[in-house]
Amino acid sequence: MRLVVIGVNHKTAPVALRERLALVGDDVNIALKQLERFTDGSVIVSTCNRTEIYALVPQISLPPESGAHLAEPQVATIASNNAIATQTASAAISAHILKIKAWLADFKQLSLDEIDPYLYVHRDTHALTHWLRVAAGLDSMILGEPQILGQIKRSVHLAQDQKALSNQLGWIVDQVFAAAKRVRNETQVGAQAVSLSYAAAKLVTQIFDDLPSRTLLVVAAGEMNRLVATHIAGLGVGRVIICNRNPERAEALAAELRRPDRIIEVRALQELPQVLAEADIVSSCSGSMDVLIDKTMTLRALKSRRYQPMLMIDLAVPRDIDSTISRIDDVYLYSVDDLQHVIAGNIEQRRQAAVDAELLVSQLVVEMDRRFQVRQVGKDIQQYRARTHDQVDKLLHESIAKLQQDNASPEDILIELSRRLTQTLTHAPSKLMRKAAREGDNELLDFVVSGLQEAHRGR
């Protein structure tokens, strides 16, 4: 397949080295252009946890004597020629891998000796297996996380923009994306939330189903609450209220969450008692040393809401929401510890699902490799037919030239043409049968003989 992957990830390299090897921004575009010198297409995937180069190494050009058009005296050397060609191809791939390694070190202004111990290299189906495992989230720091597939897709789009995605590499990419989708759809490896923000969003969908009519109240606009608000708002919540001490940070979060079909309001933190009644979902993570939402405030809000249910998510330590609120009917209160317990159970479920996912990956790689071989043999057949056509065309032109001579006998020329055509068309299968017989490969011999017999019977 000539596919190779060279890279580092969170398992093989410390974060300090991963930072130095990261390829982001204009670096990616420059790198893709430079890789054209010794690849037949490449994709660069660079995240906080990995930097990987997926590339097709060039097809080596074999000497003419390795072709199927050899004359009869050269037939005895074909087996050894094929073995040499295989060894040569393997050595050529190794040489290209070394070139890519050396280029990466030079591009990042590091020595090859410094990075080589941390680099991993996969080839052919092993590279394909690795790519599919990465795309399916099986090689991620958080097992089954979905973001990596989007990151790979963005990397592929960058490669397309730089015209670094060859037809064959593009075909492989399509296979990887389709297979990764099957892994995620047919196993539970990514079904359970394993981060606080995803777990919080999952709780929302379990309690509310009419999200466009629901209001999310975000108490404090720090990084954790920003992530939670982003995930919950992404579910389709129709209104978001942001209460924060710092109005500039609140406005920055509002800008991130704003879209045409969503109402965004920024309120001062002092208005929290008044806006609490308007919230169906509350996410709080202020870092305050005092309780921001107490029992009295909550009972007043519930009465104003006519006791419609509320989901409260308290991510703060110390807690922002009075823990006794959990005893109130119609209020679902989850602390950071509650979410961690949920996550721990979900991680174990993902680990169990990963066993099924790994088995499916193995099966899909076999299917993908088989499709590749079928695709590749189609090209080989075209090349074989083209060479045969050239040989027949040459013989035909020689016969026509002889017919144009004054003393030419059309009957003799046609007989000779027929004999030479027969020799040309039977040369390859005859050569293959002699090789199989000489090496004692009865299975191959029977396969060729039976195939030729079926061809003569018109099957």
Side-chain angles (χ1 to χ4, degrees):
M1 192 174 289
R2 299 187 292 121
L3 176 67
V4 300
V5 55
I6 301 166
V8 296
N9 63 17
H10 58 283
K11 299 175 186 175
T12 69
V15 64
L17 182 61
R18 297 202 305 272
E19 287 174 343
R20 296 176 71 188
L21 287 174
L23 293 164
V24 295
D26 289 338
D27 274 0
V28 177
N29 296 334
I30 297 169
L32 289 169
K33 284 296 183 185
Q34 292 186 7
L35 283 169
E36 290 179 3
R37 300 196 306 252
F38 35 84
T39 71
D40 284 343
S42 60
V43 173
I44 294 173
V45 177
S46 190
T47 71
C48 57
N49 287 328
R50 70 181 65 246
T51 292
E52 296 178 330
I53 299 168
Y54 296 86
L56 286 181
V57 297
Q59 181 74 54
I60 65 168
S61 298
L62 297 178
E65 58 268 20
S66 63
H69 58 281
L70 295 179
E72 192 67 25
Q74 296 171 297
V75 169
T77 64
I78 287 175
S80 60
N81 282 344
N82 288 340
I84 292 170
T86 300
Q87 294 172 2
T88 303
S90 179
I93 291 174
S94 298
H96 283 296
I97 289 171
L98 183 58
K99 285 181 182 179
I100 295 172
K101 284 182 175 183
W103 166 84
L104 178 61
D106 182 65
F107 189 81
K108 299 305 295 184
Q109 297 181 337
L110 298 166
S111 71
L112 182 56
D113 290 340
E114 186 178 359
I115 68 172
D116 200 38
Y118 301 96
L119 292 172
Y120 47 80
V121 176
H122 301 292
R123 295 165 57 159
D124 299 320
T125 53
H126 295 291
L128 192 59
T129 300
H130 177 81
W131 204 347
L132 179 49
R133 291 188 73 255
V134 171
L138 295 174
D139 195 58
S140 297
M141 184 177 289
I142 299 176
L143 180 64
E145 60 94 3
Q147 291 97 329
I148 185 63
L149 185 57
Q151 290 166 333
I152 293 175
K153 288 182 177 179
R154 287 192 291 274
S155 298
V156 168
H157 290 151
L158 283 175
Q160 288 175 321
D161 291 342
Q162 295 299 316
K163 296 182 172 41
L165 198 69
S166 61
N167 289 337
Q168 184 170 320
L169 187 57
W171 182 88
I172 293 173
V173 165
D174 290 341
Q175 303 300 305
V176 168
F177 285 160
K181 184 177 180 181
R182 279 192 59 184
V183 172
R184 301 197 71 84
N185 288 343
E186 297 179 22
T187 72
Q188 297 296 306
V189 71
Q192 306 298 330
V194 292
S195 70
L196 287 174
S197 54
Y198 273 104
K202 192 76 172 178
L203 286 173
V204 172
T205 61
Q206 291 172 352
I207 296 172
F208 302 106
D209 53 9
D210 52 342
L211 292 176
S213 65
R214 298 296 176 175
T215 296
L216 166 65
L217 171 60
V218 182
V219 182
E223 180 62 19
M224 177 55 71
N225 234 10
R226 185 188 70 80
L227 290 172
V228 172
T230 299
H231 283 110
I232 294 177
L235 298 172
V237 171
R239 182 185 178 206
V240 179
I241 302 172
I242 304 170
C243 284
N244 195 57
R245 288 190 179 92
N246 184 332
E248 292 180 358
R249 176 172 272 186
E251 289 291 351
L253 177 58
E256 285 188 45
L257 301 180
R258 188 168 284 115
R259 70 182 199 188
D261 58 345
R262 179 179 297 140
I263 299 170
I264 305 286
E265 300 175 26
V266 174
R267 304 283 188 89
L269 192 61
Q270 293 85 342
E271 297 181 68
L272 182 56
Q274 289 74 46
V275 299
L276 184 61
E278 303 176 43
D280 303 291
I281 307 154
V282 179
S283 177
S284 186
C285 188
S286 72
S288 171
M289 299 303 294
D290 301 318
V291 170
L292 299 182
I293 301 175
D294 59 25
K295 190 172 182 178
T296 301
M297 187 190 305
T298 303
L299 287 170
R300 191 182 303 119
L302 274 173
K303 184 177 180 180
S304 177
R305 290 170 56 80
R306 298 185 179 181
Y307 299 97
Q308 294 181 58
M310 297 177 71
L311 169 62
M312 292 186 171
I313 300 167
D314 188 356
L315 301 173
V317 180
R319 285 178 283 190
D320 287 341
I321 303 175
D322 184 349
S323 61
T324 62
I325 290 174
S326 62
R327 304 192 192 111
I328 300 176
D329 291 340
D330 302 314
V331 176
Y332 303 90
L333 174 60
Y334 288 83
S335 69
V336 69
D337 286 347
D338 296 327
L339 292 179
Q340 290 288 9
H341 288 310
V342 171
I343 289 169
N346 290 348
I347 288 174
E348 183 56 33
Q349 290 183 45
R350 282 197 178 189
R351 287 198 186 105
Q352 294 174 10
V355 176
D356 296 331
E358 294 283 8
L359 179 60
L360 181 56
V361 165
S362 298
Q363 295 170 347
L364 291 173
V365 168
V366 171
E367 293 177 13
M368 291 158 68
D369 187 48
R370 187 178 297 120
R371 283 195 293 271
F372 176 81
Q373 297 301 335
V374 171
R375 186 174 184 267
Q376 196 62 30
V377 80
K379 295 181 179 178
D380 293 337
I381 290 171
Q382 288 179 346
Q383 292 175 359
Y384 176 74
R385 285 179 172 172
R387 287 195 299 267
T388 302
H389 175 79
D390 290 343
Q391 290 174 304
V392 170
D393 199 46
K394 179 182 177 183
L395 294 176
L396 183 60
H397 279 84
E398 290 176 356
S399 298
I400 292 173
K402 290 179 180 179
L403 283 171
Q404 292 173 347
Q405 297 175 5
D406 294 337
N407 59 348
S409 168
E411 184 178 351
D412 291 341
I413 292 171
L414 288 175
I415 292 173
E416 181 185 5
L417 175 60
S418 175
R419 179 182 61 79
R420 294 181 68 185
L421 283 174
T422 301
Q423 288 178 338
T424 297
L425 298 175
T426 60
H427 173 69
S430 299
K431 175 181 66 179
L432 188 57
M433 284 189 288
R434 278 194 294 271
K435 178 178 181 292
R438 186 167 54 250
E439 296 181 359
D441 191 343
N442 293 328
E443 185 177 351
L444 176 60
L445 184 60
D446 291 342
F447 178 78
V448 175
V449 171
S450 62
L452 292 173
Q453 288 174 344
E454 288 184 8
H456 281 299
R457 287 195 293 267
R459 294 182 183 179

